[in-house]
Amino acid sequence: MTEQDLLDNLREVEERIERACIRSGRKREDVTLIAVSKTKPLAMLQTVYQAGIREFGENKVQELCEKAENLNSDIHWHMIGHLQRIKVRQVIQKACLIHSVDSLRLAEQIELEASKCDRIVPILIEVNVAGEETKYGVSVLEAPELIQKISDFAHIRVKGLMTSAPYVSNSEENREYFKNLYQLCIDIQKKNIDNVDMEILSMGMTNDYEVAIEEGATHIRVGTGVFGERFYQVKKEDEANV
Ligand SMILES: *Cc1c(COP(=O)(O)O)cnc(C)c1O
């Protein structure tokens, strides 16, 4: 992929975001594009950075930290992938927002590490809105109770919800899930819980971000649409498990 291809991709995504905002009567500045750069080389991130993007998403802690150390310090790094407790200490130094908190144990670890370095860590609760067996996230029913418990932690702020909707060929199939997550956000906001402010709704990926915007997404996470297809190298020892 050439630099020009990247810039063309970015322009197309931007146009689609604008059109989705117009269709749904939303302001463009109320939707944040997170460029999901996992597996992609620094040079590609630099091109996108020079085009004005400052929000990047990564799903692995080590990759996020390495990229953060090698790129401009005004980039906001979003941790969007499943987070192991052992990686919490590292990630809270670099990430502006952890999108993928889905258990009390993980939140306890974040609270512990954040208190040690006297930080307040903003997080989202990951919701498995379609109840897919292969996905992380709490159910819609479990989310309020988890948020209530996390609200007791002095070094964590719950900023909203995140979901990855199913992979579907027609994005309309996910509209109902996005509506449900939006409604869940509203319901939790109404409870006025301390340390909880449901201002972020992170939903919508390459295949469904326009529908997600129409249903209230404040942050969309677009990888393929910006950077092109990802090519994963399969390690020999992993091949048996593929
Ligand atoms: C990879 C990833 C994305 C981006 O997916 P695309 O379909 O390439 O846009 C978004 N969110 C999460 C959690 C991801 O892991």
Side-chain angles (χ1 to χ4, degrees):
M1 167 166 319
T2 66
E3 206 164 287
Q4 193 55 53
D5 291 335
L6 250 181
L7 296 175
D8 289 346
N9 284 350
L10 204 52
R11 181 164 334 108
E12 185 186 330
V13 170
E14 182 53 46
E15 282 169 9
R16 287 184 175 202
I17 294 172
E18 281 167 25
R19 285 200 293 269
C21 284
I22 290 169
R23 278 198 300 279
S24 50
R26 302 189 58 203
K27 292 196 222 116
R28 172 63 187 89
E29 64 262 34
D30 292 344
V31 178
T32 300
L33 168 63
I34 300 173
V36 176
S37 48
K38 62 193 186 200
T39 78
K40 297 297 177 182
L42 289 178
M44 289 179 86
L45 280 72
Q46 262 152 349
T47 300
V48 168
Y49 176 89
Q50 272 149 21
I53 298 295
R54 293 293 178 271
E55 314 292 321
F56 288 87
E58 289 287 339
N59 69 338
K60 294 209 161 70
V61 171
Q62 193 186 337
E63 192 173 343
L64 185 154
C65 291
E66 279 171 15
K67 285 175 171 169
E69 278 155 28
N70 284 290
L71 290 170
N72 303 56
S73 60
D74 61 344
I75 292 176
H76 299 141
W77 294 97
H78 295 258
M79 175 57 194
I80 62 174
H82 181 64
L83 179 57
Q84 292 171 279
R85 288 183 306 146
I86 191 170
K87 307 273 176 69
V88 164
R89 180 181 310 181
Q90 249 187 312
V91 82
I92 63 175
Q93 310 294 333
K94 299 277 192 255
C96 67
L97 181 65
I98 299 171
H99 290 231
S100 44
V101 177
D102 66 352
S103 73
L104 190 60
R105 282 181 83 212
L106 176 59
E108 281 167 350
Q109 190 71 27
I110 295 172
E111 170 65 17
L112 176 70
E113 295 296 344
S115 69
K116 282 191 207 162
C117 57
D118 201 22
R119 262 168 209 255
I120 291 184
V121 176
I123 66 159
L124 305 179
I125 302 301
E126 180 169 0
V127 180
N128 183 352
V129 74
E132 292 174 278
E133 265 177 36
T134 54
K135 282 202 178 138
Y136 293 106
V138 293
S139 70
V140 169
L141 290 174
E142 291 163 333
E145 192 185 328
L146 178 60
I147 291 173
Q148 191 75 55
K149 286 181 179 156
I150 293 176
S151 72
D152 288 337
F153 297 149
H155 299 85
I156 298 182
R157 295 289 178 274
V158 178
K159 292 287 182 189
L161 304 175
M162 179 271 226
T163 201
S164 298
Y167 186 82
V168 290
S169 49
N170 176 3
S171 58
E172 283 300 325
E173 292 173 40
N174 283 336
R175 188 178 293 277
E176 206 56 35
Y177 296 129
F178 294 143
K179 272 190 210 288
N180 289 347
L181 205 66
Y182 178 82
Q183 190 55 49
L184 182 60
C185 244
I186 302 283
D187 292 344
I188 293 169
Q189 183 64 36
K190 277 190 196 143
K191 297 183 182 184
N192 271 319
I193 307 167
D194 282 348
N195 296 332
V196 176
D197 187 3
M198 306 297 282
E199 62 194 25
I200 296 180
L201 193 48
S202 170
M203 60 185 191
M205 309 178 11
T206 296
N207 283 307
D208 54 18
Y209 65 87
E210 291 156 285
V211 176
I213 291 170
E214 288 168 13
E215 298 304 333
T218 66
H219 289 59
I220 58 171
R221 310 181 309 269
V222 181
T224 312
V226 172
F227 293 102
E229 295 286 340
R230 286 177 294 274
F231 301 100
Y232 291 99
Q233 278 187 343
V234 181
K235 287 197 214 123
K236 269 275 172 271
E237 62 265 31
D238 288 347
E239 259 169 337
N241 304 319
V242 170

